Amino acid sequence: MLKNLRKLLYDPTLQAKKDFLRSLELFKDLKDRELAELAQALHCRVYRQGEVLFQEGDIGRALFILESGSVELSRRRPDGAGQPLYKLKPGEFFGEMALLEQLPRAATAQAAEDSRLYLLYLSKLESLIQEHPRLGIQVMTHLAQLLSARLRRATIGATASHASS
Amino acid sequence: MRRPFPFIPFILGAGLAFYLLSRLGHALIPFILSSALAYVTHPFINYCEVKGLRRAFSVTLFYLIALAAVSVAANNLLQMASAELSFLQEQSPAYLATIKGIVSAAKQFIAQNVPFASSIIERWDIQLYEPLMRQAENIPGYLLGIFPLLSFLFLIPLITYFMLIDGPKAVRHMIQACPARHVERILHILSEIDASLGNYLRGLLIASMAVAIASFIGLSLMGLSQALAISLLAGLGNFVPYLGPAMGAAIGGLAAIFQFNSFAAGLKVAALFAGIRLADDLLLEPFIAKRSVKLHPLAFLLSLMAGGELFGFIGLVFAVPAACVIKELGKVLWAWYATETRLAAPEPHPAVEVPYV
């Protein structure tokens, strides 16, 4: 009886969304309530295979989180042909620079198969940060660590290629 | 490459919106008011959803609580307020007669003591004073214009209920129907508008409630018999910038002069409302900064005239908040256009040259 009442009153999709968000590196230290607030701020969309999410040069507005399917990132070569950069798997996210500054995207994103993604906008994140500062600190710390790791890797790569040439 | 501003689509869109508004104006009023109510109630629904409750249950719970609150208010506060309002309405001819008496005494005094003043007063009488008094006599008639709003009392909660229940579903369908590449752009605009309008409307409601509560406490402490009705009028009037405290000071001041037979009592009430207005500016606005949409005096006048022309008395009441909402929308669209066309490209960070170590 109590179980049925719980089923009737409580939304099972929110718990599933929270579990998924908790599995991501960016949100792993958030509390249950913060994850629920974050889940409420996300927009969801299903992209069919071949649909372009954004193109290189478009102004970045949102962070994309891949829940299912796969997305391919590619960059235009000087001859105009696309150069594949990376194929994203479920649980990975991309376009996080849009949460820091609204600048042109450095690559094109295209759904490699039918994919379900969550979008997080800067304005939503700003509202969350104002209302739940701890959430903001956690997300921004993870974002800074991620950017630092990428920059370190790029610097080492550039130094190695300079030394070999 | 910088894209030119899409003037023609913008003008066509604005023209179409204006045409539809003028044609469907009265039919749209309950929907517009319901949208505002949905925005205001959204934090409660969101709170319940964050706790894990289903949306339909959260909305129903909100309606049950609101129904209980309205029943209590209708039984106690509203009965008191309506009795006080009827008293104020009955007293309005006496208040006007007092104002006329004070003004004619002042005119007589000035005409006797200031040279050439009589011809100036005569012109002022014809051009400003008499038309103003004629309008003042019509005030009870204008208040009757609020009655069409009462017919929305059942319609607005119904529309709001469906908006709250199905709103997110409609947004989800719209996002899914939108061409993939434009989803990010359109959702960005929607998110910005949502944040901006939500903050503005909720801030406005908080400020109006604060004005009503502060004036009720102040007037009750002064011992004014119609404290509840006057504070309710001041709170409702606060939806139009400056109108709430001004209305409270004028009506409350006159009521105090009559009740206490003292001009000083009227001045005390006026000082109370000046203090409330100041406290709103200095203490409340920093916490609800997003509400502070400043309108140019010309825009203020134009909105009042257009609102009155399109929707009558209801238009006058909601003209300024509507103009503030339009200004907020304009700001969001302009910010979007400026970043999209790199008009407002961010400067590179000054420390970008320092190597990564």
Side-chain angles (χ1 to χ4, degrees):
Chain A
M1 167 94 176
L2 207 65
K3 225 175 189 179
N4 283 342
L5 191 69
R6 253 187 99 78
K7 220 184 240 179
L8 197 74
L9 299 183
Y10 287 92
D11 185 5
T13 55
L14 180 76
Q15 193 53 48
K17 227 174 177 181
K18 281 196 295 189
D19 291 341
F20 170 67
L21 290 175
R22 195 178 285 115
S23 71
L24 304 179
E25 187 66 24
L26 199 55
F27 308 126
K28 68 174 183 185
D29 295 327
L30 296 186
K31 289 178 181 166
D32 206 52
R33 186 180 159 76
E34 291 167 340
L35 283 169
E37 294 277 1
L38 185 70
Q40 289 294 100
L42 296 174
H43 294 283
C44 180
R45 191 185 192 274
V46 175
Y47 289 85
R48 301 278 162 227
Q49 185 180 6
E51 275 191 324
V52 175
L53 283 67
F54 55 76
Q55 272 195 334
E56 189 179 338
D58 286 352
I59 300 288
R61 309 272 187 195
L63 160 81
F64 289 78
I65 304 165
L66 184 62
E67 193 195 34
S68 62
S70 67
V71 170
E72 191 167 82
L73 299 179
S74 63
R75 196 173 287 167
R76 245 191 328 266
R77 285 198 306 235
D79 61 4
Q83 180 190 3
L85 290 176
Y86 187 74
K87 202 167 188 177
L88 290 134
K89 300 177 289 294
E92 289 184 312
F93 56 90
F94 57 101
E96 63 280 355
M97 294 309 293
L99 297 183
L100 299 174
E101 49 187 10
Q102 298 192 337
L103 284 174
R105 297 279 192 199
T108 296
Q110 190 171 25
E113 57 186 283
D114 288 358
S115 308
R116 190 177 151 91
L117 289 108
Y118 291 113
L119 285 81
L120 176 64
Y121 280 85
L122 181 60
S123 56
K124 293 276 185 192
L125 185 65
E126 278 173 348
S127 306
L128 281 177
I129 290 171
Q130 272 177 12
E131 285 161 30
H132 309 278
R134 191 188 163 276
L135 184 155
I137 292 168
Q138 293 292 342
V139 173
M140 285 304 177
T141 305
H142 281 301
L143 207 55
Q145 285 168 347
L146 173 76
L147 293 178
S148 175
R150 281 188 189 160
L151 193 57
R152 191 177 295 275
R153 195 169 161 181
T155 309
I156 292 167
T159 313
S161 69
H162 183 72
S164 65
S165 66
Chain B
M1 197 180 71
R2 187 181 292 182
R3 272 177 285 177
F5 186 76
F7 275 110
I8 294 173
F10 180 78
I11 291 169
L12 283 176
L16 184 69
F18 186 77
Y19 174 76
L20 285 175
L21 199 67
S22 60
R23 298 290 296 180
L24 303 170
H26 286 277
L28 289 178
I29 288 172
F31 288 89
I32 294 168
L33 295 179
S34 301
S35 315
L37 189 61
Y39 261 111
V40 169
T41 52
H42 179 256
F44 177 83
I45 310 295
N46 192 54
Y47 177 82
C48 293
E49 281 194 293
V50 165
K51 291 279 174 203
L53 293 175
R54 284 180 193 272
R55 192 171 180 87
F57 180 72
S58 306
V59 176
T60 312
L61 183 70
F62 170 76
Y63 265 72
L64 288 175
I65 294 171
L67 193 72
V70 168
S71 310
V72 171
N75 269 337
N76 303 305
L77 292 177
L78 286 182
Q79 273 180 4
M80 263 167 72
S82 70
E84 289 180 14
L85 274 173
S86 319
F87 180 78
L88 280 176
Q89 206 174 346
E90 278 167 24
Q91 291 296 311
S92 65
Y95 290 171
L96 276 176
T98 310
I99 296 173
K100 279 181 183 170
I102 293 169
V103 171
S104 69
K107 276 193 306 191
Q108 215 172 349
F109 176 79
I110 294 167
Q112 278 169 4
N113 295 295
V114 182
F116 311 115
S118 56
S119 63
I120 297 169
I121 287 172
E122 208 171 298
R123 207 177 308 149
W124 180 77
D125 260 358
I126 297 166
Q127 288 178 347
L128 190 69
Y129 178 66
E130 281 172 10
L132 203 69
M133 279 296 126
R134 270 200 299 278
Q135 290 302 320
E137 279 162 14
N138 290 335
I139 285 174
Y142 288 145
L143 288 176
L144 289 177
I146 297 179
F147 278 108
L149 278 179
L150 295 178
S151 64
F152 297 153
L153 274 182
F154 297 100
L155 197 56
I156 289 173
L158 189 74
I159 298 172
T160 308
Y161 182 80
F162 287 114
M163 278 182 173
L164 284 171
I165 291 269
D166 293 328
K169 224 182 283 172
V171 172
R172 269 203 302 276
H173 286 312
M174 201 194 79
I175 293 169
Q176 203 53 52
C178 181
R181 218 190 126 191
H182 299 295
V183 166
E184 197 182 354
R185 219 170 287 172
I186 288 169
L187 265 183
H188 163 73
I189 296 176
L190 283 180
S191 296
E192 292 280 325
I193 290 173
D194 181 41
S196 179
L197 281 194
N199 281 336
Y200 171 69
L201 291 171
R202 282 188 285 273
L204 199 61
L205 190 77
I206 291 169
S208 295
M209 280 163 67
V211 166
I213 292 169
S215 50
F216 178 68
I217 294 171
L219 294 174
S220 301
L221 287 176
M222 284 181 186
L224 199 73
S225 331
Q226 293 85 34
L228 184 63
I230 293 166
S231 51
L232 277 180
L233 281 177
L236 283 174
N238 202 58
F239 280 94
V240 179
Y242 304 105
L243 184 68
M247 216 158 73
I251 302 172
L254 280 169
I257 292 172
F258 265 77
Q259 188 182 327
F260 301 110
N261 272 327
S262 142
F263 194 69
L267 284 180
K268 273 186 201 166
V269 170
L272 168 76
F273 279 100
I276 289 171
R277 173 72 218 167
L278 205 68
D280 180 22
D281 272 352
L282 297 177
L283 302 175
L284 206 56
E285 279 211 13
F287 293 103
I288 45 173
K290 290 272 185 179
R291 177 177 71 91
S292 54
V293 181
K294 303 284 182 213
L295 274 190
H296 190 276
L298 287 180
F300 184 88
L301 272 178
L302 179 69
S303 62
L304 279 179
M305 289 161 83
E309 186 66 33
L310 285 172
F311 304 110
F313 183 76
I314 297 171
L316 277 178
V317 175
F318 294 107
V320 176
C324 291
V325 165
I326 291 168
K327 188 179 174 184
E328 280 293 284
L329 291 179
K331 266 164 62 179
V332 167
L333 290 176
W334 177 253
W336 167 75
Y337 173 74
T339 45
E340 198 71 12
T341 56
R342 325 277 157 81
L343 269 177
E347 293 286 320
H349 198 284
V352 74
E353 299 298 331
V354 180
Y356 183 78
V357 286

